[in-house]
Amino acid sequence: MMKIFLIGFMGCGKSTLGKKLAVKLGYDFVDLDHQIEKNIGTVIGTYFAEHGEAAFRKLESETLKTFDYPANAVIATGGGTPVFFDNMDWMNANGLTLYIEMSPAALAKRLENGKEKRPLLRDLHDDALIEFIENRLTERDVFYKRAALIMPGVDLNADAMRAVILSRQ
Ligand code: S3P
């Protein structure tokens, strides 16, 4: 039984790399945001707008801790998941956490086209995006850095992740 939790800021590649890593390891892939959307029957942006962030964070934590995970899974978490409640402790106690680390500049470039589906970014102009990322990342990095593994996200590929993970087992 193995759970690998991919953590990191929005846009760092958790879902894209997670899917590829799952294939390479022969594990199932779980996207936490998608599971939440399945449970609530709407997209996260709509839920945020109707119920607010605090309600979303409760739901996120509940889903993280109660989801019926496949025996072996790579799990892409949301960018805020490690920051709230005891989620980071829970992930470290229940699996292997891997932080995909990326600079604000690299994240901003990758997020320019992905703002719409992310309620925290939706209303930001491009010139405000980098500042927002810098501020949030400063707050969040202390949580992210509690991951068991930290890998630089630029040019990261699933083979390199697989090698690091297998060396830990
Ligand atoms: C969030 C990140 C999103 C999603 C929600 C909030 C965040 O996930 O959970 O919009 O607080 O960073 P991604 O990291 O997959 O974009």
Side-chain angles (χ1 to χ4, degrees):
M1 292 258 287
M2 186 63 187
K3 294 185 193 68
I4 296 162
F5 293 101
L6 301 184
I7 68 167
F9 207 82
M10 291 174 266
C12 73
K14 299 177 296 275
S15 299
T16 313
L17 286 167
K19 277 180 202 152
K20 292 180 182 164
L21 175 64
V23 171
K24 297 227 176 269
L25 290 169
Y27 287 12
D28 287 314
F29 174 72
V30 175
D31 189 307
L32 190 64
D33 282 339
H34 286 173
Q35 290 310 323
I36 296 169
E37 290 180 339
K38 260 171 100 174
N39 291 346
I40 59 182
T42 184
V43 293
I44 287 170
T46 305
Y47 190 86
F48 247 71
E50 286 176 1
H51 303 274
E53 180 172 356
F56 171 74
R57 296 305 175 190
K58 251 184 98 184
L59 203 62
E60 179 180 48
S61 187
E62 269 165 32
T63 309
L64 172 73
K65 295 175 190 172
T66 62
F67 184 70
D68 188 13
Y69 292 95
N72 294 306
V74 175
I75 301 117
T77 62
T81 311
V83 181
F84 292 87
F85 308 106
D86 59 347
N87 295 347
M88 196 63 208
D89 289 330
W90 189 89
M91 289 190 279
N92 275 329
N94 286 278
L96 185 65
T97 48
L98 191 163
Y99 172 26
I100 304 172
E101 190 175 21
M102 210 176 263
S103 70
L107 290 167
K109 215 166 156 215
R110 293 164 60 104
L111 283 168
E112 270 168 18
N113 298 319
K115 287 196 315 196
E116 269 324 297
K117 60 175 184 172
R118 293 181 167 99
L120 296 175
L121 306 180
R122 189 173 280 169
D123 300 327
L124 294 175
H125 293 292
D126 281 350
D127 48 355
L129 183 62
I130 181 92
E131 200 183 323
F132 175 87
I133 295 170
E134 279 167 359
N135 292 339
R136 277 294 161 112
L137 193 56
T138 304
E139 290 165 17
R140 291 181 168 189
D141 206 50
V142 287
F143 294 91
Y144 295 156
K145 288 258 165 73
R146 292 174 54 208
L149 300 168
I150 301 177
M151 298 188 81
V154 174
D155 295 331
L156 183 59
N157 63 62
D159 280 318
M161 294 166 87
R162 178 177 176 274
V164 167
I165 287 163
L166 293 182
S167 73
R168 283 286 300 228
Q169 287 173 350

